[in-house]
Amino acid sequence: MRKIGYLIVLTTFMFMSCNGTSGSKEGSTVSNASAKSPDGGSTKTETTAGKPELLTAETFKLKVMDYEKNTQQWVFEGDKPAIVDFYADWCRPCRMIAPILEELSVEYKGKIDVYKVDTEAQRELASIFGIQSLPTVLFIPMEGKPSMQKGALPKESYKQIIDDFLLKAPTSK
């Protein structure tokens, strides 16, 4: 009876949060939606299509921050505020927020960029940003320092962060 109790507690914690950046992809039934178009052909993952763009270390340096060139300070390379979702395919909370971020990408098209970083494929980026818990979402305003949020949030919370932190007009000096 005691073993069953431990198993239930362990299972509950496993589904509540995906800590770490490694894990088994076993049991993952969600496919990468940005890899195939509805007609079965491959698509480009462009933010102009209203979908989050999958970043590699190289595209991250071009579109978000060149962390090799700017080692001491944050220098944002983008032309509009951005959200970067650090995720893994095996992470259940990551799969839960993926459709929310896709919806937000469409709703805020032209106002913000939404990016995704697969921490399994881009371990260097995960390490540089100290990603230890998934999902971790990086919110990057045009001016000032970015903010990180660990864990899954409801859509309304993401909208509030976008409106109040990313799109808020800078105060005049």
Side-chain angles (χ1 to χ4, degrees):
M1 187 64 133
R2 199 176 211 179
K3 288 182 183 180
I4 293 173
Y6 287 129
L7 183 61
I8 291 170
V9 170
L10 180 64
T11 305
T12 303
F13 283 120
M14 184 176 77
F15 286 116
M16 288 177 65
S17 175
C18 295
N19 289 326
T21 57
S22 63
S24 170
K25 292 184 182 182
E26 213 173 286
S28 175
T29 58
V30 176
S31 63
N32 184 353
S34 64
K36 297 280 184 183
S37 65
D39 63 333
S42 63
T43 62
K44 295 180 182 175
T45 52
E46 296 290 331
T47 53
T48 56
K51 295 257 185 186
E53 180 179 352
L54 189 62
L55 297 180
T56 64
E58 289 306 311
T59 55
F60 188 94
K61 291 179 212 173
L62 294 172
K63 296 182 179 207
V64 180
M65 178 193 175
D66 188 342
Y67 51 85
E68 290 176 338
K69 183 171 77 174
N70 301 302
T71 59
Q72 299 300 316
Q73 63 182 356
W74 176 264
V75 179
F76 183 49
E77 301 291 340
D79 59 353
K80 56 183 153 276
I83 296 174
V84 180
D85 172 25
F86 290 91
Y87 77 99
D89 288 336
W90 51 264
C91 169
R92 185 178 178 134
C94 298
R95 294 192 312 253
M96 290 169 49
I97 70 164
I100 294 171
L101 293 175
E102 284 185 16
E103 290 172 14
L104 292 172
S105 180
V106 172
E107 286 179 39
Y108 290 94
K109 184 179 175 183
K111 295 179 182 175
I112 65 170
D113 288 323
V114 181
Y115 301 114
K116 296 178 72 71
V117 173
D118 182 350
T119 57
E120 291 290 304
Q122 304 300 321
R123 293 182 186 269
E124 176 185 11
L125 282 173
S127 174
I128 287 169
F129 284 90
I131 306 301
Q132 296 179 348
S133 180
L134 295 176
T136 296
V137 181
L138 180 65
F139 296 95
I140 309 166
M142 286 303 297
E143 295 178 10
K145 295 189 177 195
S147 176
M148 257 190 204
Q149 172 64 47
K150 295 179 181 180
L153 297 174
K155 183 177 180 179
E156 305 319 316
S157 297
Y158 288 115
K159 288 181 80 153
Q160 184 175 4
I161 293 169
I162 291 168
D163 293 337
D164 295 346
F165 181 65
L166 295 183
L167 299 178
K168 188 176 182 180
T171 56
S172 41
K173 296 180 181 180

